[in-house]
Amino acid sequence: MTERELRRHRCCFTGHRPEKLEQPESMVVEALKKEIRTAIADGFQTFISGMARGVDLWAAEIVLSFRDEGAAIRLICASPYRGFENRWSPEWQERYRQVLERADLVRFICPAYSPDCFRRRNEWMVDHSARVIAIYNGEGGGTRNTVTYAKQNGVPVVNVLNSDVLIK
Protein backbone atom coordinates (compact mmCIF):
# COMPACT_ATOMS: atom_id res chain seq x y z
CA MET A 1 0.00 0.00 0.00
CA THR A 2 1.12 3.52 -0.69
CA GLU A 3 1.36 6.16 2.05
CA ARG A 4 -1.77 7.80 0.62
CA GLU A 5 -3.72 4.54 0.90
CA LEU A 6 -2.45 3.87 4.42
CA ARG A 7 -3.37 7.39 5.51
CA ARG A 8 -7.04 6.79 4.60
CA HIS A 9 -7.21 4.24 7.43
CA ARG A 10 -5.41 6.31 10.09
CA CYS A 11 -6.92 8.56 12.70
CA CYS A 12 -5.15 10.71 15.30
CA PHE A 13 -6.12 12.35 18.56
CA THR A 14 -5.72 15.84 19.94
CA GLY A 15 -6.98 17.20 23.21
CA HIS A 16 -6.27 19.04 26.37
CA ARG A 17 -4.38 17.98 29.44
CA PRO A 18 -6.56 17.07 32.44
CA GLU A 19 -6.20 20.42 34.20
CA LYS A 20 -7.66 22.28 31.18
CA LEU A 21 -10.78 20.10 30.96
CA GLU A 22 -14.03 20.91 32.71
CA GLN A 23 -15.23 17.31 32.41
CA PRO A 24 -13.96 14.48 34.64
CA GLU A 25 -11.72 11.80 33.17
CA SER A 26 -14.54 9.23 33.21
CA MET A 27 -16.77 11.40 30.99
CA VAL A 28 -13.96 12.13 28.52
CA VAL A 29 -12.99 8.45 28.36
CA GLU A 30 -16.59 7.38 27.64
CA ALA A 31 -16.88 10.00 24.87
CA LEU A 32 -13.58 8.84 23.38
CA LYS A 33 -14.67 5.19 23.47
CA LYS A 34 -17.82 6.01 21.55
CA GLU A 35 -15.94 8.00 18.90
CA ILE A 36 -13.19 5.40 18.53
CA ARG A 37 -15.86 2.73 17.97
CA THR A 38 -17.38 4.98 15.30
CA ALA A 39 -13.98 5.41 13.65
CA ILE A 40 -13.44 1.64 13.62
CA ALA A 41 -16.88 1.15 12.05
CA ASP A 42 -15.90 3.76 9.44
CA GLY A 43 -12.86 1.67 8.47
CA PHE A 44 -10.09 3.26 10.51
CA GLN A 45 -7.55 0.62 11.53
CA THR A 46 -4.61 2.61 12.87
CA PHE A 47 -4.75 5.25 15.58
CA ILE A 48 -2.02 7.79 16.38
CA SER A 49 -1.54 9.20 19.87
CA GLY A 50 0.70 12.18 20.65
CA MET A 51 1.31 10.65 24.12
CA ALA A 52 0.64 13.74 26.26
CA ARG A 53 -1.02 13.47 29.67
CA GLY A 54 -4.79 13.44 29.45
CA VAL A 55 -6.64 12.92 26.19
CA ASP A 56 -3.69 11.45 24.26
CA LEU A 57 -2.90 8.78 26.82
CA TRP A 58 -6.54 8.00 27.57
CA ALA A 59 -7.21 7.50 23.85
CA ALA A 60 -4.13 5.27 23.50
CA GLU A 61 -5.24 3.15 26.46
CA ILE A 62 -8.70 2.77 24.91
CA VAL A 63 -7.25 1.69 21.55
CA LEU A 64 -5.10 -0.91 23.32
CA SER A 65 -8.09 -2.20 25.31
CA PHE A 66 -10.18 -2.54 22.12
CA ARG A 67 -7.26 -4.35 20.46
CA ASP A 68 -7.09 -6.70 23.48
CA GLU A 69 -10.81 -7.41 23.00
CA GLY A 70 -10.14 -8.53 19.43
CA ALA A 71 -10.48 -5.41 17.31
CA ALA A 72 -8.09 -5.52 14.34
CA ILE A 73 -6.55 -2.12 15.07
CA ARG A 74 -3.07 -0.74 15.64
CA LEU A 75 -1.59 2.00 17.79
CA ILE A 76 1.19 4.37 16.74
CA CYS A 77 2.76 6.44 19.51
CA ALA A 78 4.07 9.77 18.17
CA SER A 79 6.05 11.13 21.09
CA PRO A 80 7.64 14.55 20.56
CA TYR A 81 11.06 13.43 21.90
CA ARG A 82 12.70 10.85 24.18
CA GLY A 83 12.24 11.76 27.83
CA PHE A 84 9.07 13.77 27.15
CA GLU A 85 7.49 12.24 30.28
CA ASN A 86 10.41 12.72 32.69
CA ARG A 87 8.86 15.59 34.68
CA TRP A 88 5.44 14.03 35.12
CA SER A 89 4.12 12.37 38.25
CA PRO A 90 5.15 8.73 38.72
CA GLU A 91 1.58 7.58 37.90
CA TRP A 92 1.51 9.38 34.54
CA GLN A 93 5.05 8.21 33.75
CA GLU A 94 4.00 4.60 34.33
CA ARG A 95 0.92 4.95 32.14
CA TYR A 96 3.11 6.46 29.40
CA ARG A 97 5.65 3.62 29.63
CA GLN A 98 2.96 0.92 29.58
CA VAL A 99 1.42 2.38 26.42
CA LEU A 100 4.82 2.64 24.71
CA GLU A 101 5.59 -0.99 25.54
CA ARG A 102 2.32 -2.21 24.00
CA ALA A 103 2.19 0.03 20.93
CA ASP A 104 2.58 -1.38 17.44
CA LEU A 105 4.97 1.42 16.49
CA VAL A 106 6.74 4.13 18.49
CA ARG A 107 8.00 7.21 16.70
CA PHE A 108 10.03 9.96 18.39
CA ILE A 109 9.41 12.94 16.11
CA CYS A 110 12.38 15.04 17.28
CA PRO A 111 15.76 13.83 18.55
CA ALA A 112 15.50 16.04 21.66
CA TYR A 113 13.41 18.86 23.10
CA SER A 114 13.24 21.94 20.90
CA PRO A 115 10.91 24.96 20.92
CA ASP A 116 8.98 23.54 17.97
CA CYS A 117 8.93 19.83 18.89
CA PHE A 118 5.25 19.82 19.89
CA ARG A 119 4.17 21.62 16.72
CA ARG A 120 6.21 19.20 14.63
CA ARG A 121 4.65 16.22 16.46
CA ASN A 122 1.12 17.57 15.95
CA GLU A 123 1.69 18.28 12.27
CA TRP A 124 3.23 14.84 11.75
CA MET A 125 0.11 13.21 13.23
CA VAL A 126 -2.26 15.24 11.03
CA ASP A 127 -0.08 14.65 7.95
CA HIS A 128 -0.43 10.88 8.49
CA SER A 129 -4.17 10.83 9.25
CA ALA A 130 -7.50 11.09 7.48
CA ARG A 131 -9.45 12.11 10.60
CA VAL A 132 -8.69 13.92 13.84
CA ILE A 133 -10.64 13.06 16.97
CA ALA A 134 -10.50 16.10 19.25
CA ILE A 135 -11.41 17.00 22.79
CA TYR A 136 -11.34 20.74 22.22
CA ASN A 137 -12.82 23.46 24.43
CA GLY A 138 -11.85 26.43 22.26
CA GLU A 139 -8.85 27.54 24.34
CA GLY A 140 -5.53 28.41 22.78
CA GLY A 141 -2.61 26.02 22.81
CA GLY A 142 -1.49 22.87 21.06
CA THR A 143 -5.00 21.47 20.57
CA ARG A 144 -6.17 24.65 18.85
CA ASN A 145 -3.04 24.68 16.71
CA THR A 146 -3.62 21.05 15.70
CA VAL A 147 -7.26 21.71 14.82
CA THR A 148 -6.25 24.78 12.79
CA TYR A 149 -3.51 22.85 10.98
CA ALA A 150 -5.96 20.05 10.15
CA LYS A 151 -8.45 22.62 8.79
CA GLN A 152 -5.76 24.19 6.61
CA ASN A 153 -4.93 20.75 5.22
CA GLY A 154 -8.47 19.47 4.67
CA VAL A 155 -8.40 16.78 7.37
CA PRO A 156 -11.81 16.37 9.08
CA VAL A 157 -11.87 17.06 12.83
CA VAL A 158 -14.57 15.63 15.08
CA ASN A 159 -14.96 17.43 18.41
CA VAL A 160 -16.08 14.56 20.62
CA LEU A 161 -17.56 16.43 23.57
CA ASN A 162 -19.72 18.61 21.35
CA SER A 163 -20.49 15.86 18.81
CA ASP A 164 -19.59 18.35 16.09
CA VAL A 165 -17.58 17.95 12.98
CA LEU A 166 -15.51 21.11 13.34
CA ILE A 167 -13.92 20.87 9.95
CA LYS A 168 -15.06 19.02 6.89
Side-chain angles (χ1 to χ4, degrees):
M1 268 193 206
T2 67
E3 176 58 31
R4 178 177 282 186
E5 291 167 331
L6 289 169
R7 181 180 182 175
R8 289 192 325 226
H9 301 285
R10 289 190 202 127
C11 179
C12 69
F13 304 101
T14 190
H16 302 294
R17 288 173 179 78
E19 57 273 11
K20 287 184 81 175
L21 292 169
E22 294 177 11
Q23 300 80 5
E25 177 178 346
S26 60
M27 178 184 277
V28 174
V29 166
E30 286 307 311
L32 283 167
K33 284 180 180 178
K34 181 179 177 188
E35 194 56 41
I36 292 168
R37 283 189 189 102
T38 298
I40 293 168
D42 290 345
F44 288 91
Q45 301 165 339
T46 302
F47 295 84
I48 305 172
S49 170
M51 297 302 290
R53 288 182 308 104
V55 171
D56 291 357
L57 278 173
W58 297 331
E61 290 168 342
I62 293 164
V63 168
L64 290 171
S65 72
F66 287 175
R67 187 183 72 186
D68 290 346
E69 294 168 4
I73 56 176
R74 296 170 34 96
L75 176 66
I76 297 174
C77 295
S79 188
Y81 59 93
R82 289 185 191 279
F84 169 53
E85 79 289 3
N86 286 345
R87 295 184 181 196
W88 298 351
S89 71
E91 175 192 344
W92 279 110
Q93 287 184 35
E94 183 59 25
R95 289 173 86 167
Y96 176 91
R97 287 188 194 109
Q98 286 180 8
V99 168
L100 282 185
E101 287 173 8
R102 299 187 57 222
D104 296 287
L105 177 67
V106 176
R107 182 85 191 260
F108 293 98
I109 305 305
C110 297
Y113 173 79
S114 65
D116 68 342
C117 66
F118 300 108
R119 178 190 56 78
R120 289 175 58 194
R121 185 262 326 262
N122 296 342
E123 291 177 3
W124 185 90
M125 292 191 312
V126 171
D127 291 344
H128 290 84
S129 298
R131 178 182 294 172
V132 177
I133 295 175
I135 302 288
Y136 176 54
N137 63 13
E139 288 185 27
T143 300
R144 174 187 279 171
N145 296 345
T146 304
V147 167
T148 299
Y149 183 79
K151 179 180 180 181
Q152 292 168 346
N153 288 277
V155 178
V157 178
V158 178
N159 191 4
V160 174
L161 293 179
N162 295 331
S163 299
D164 291 338
V165 175
L166 295 175
I167 299 140
K168 291 185 180 180

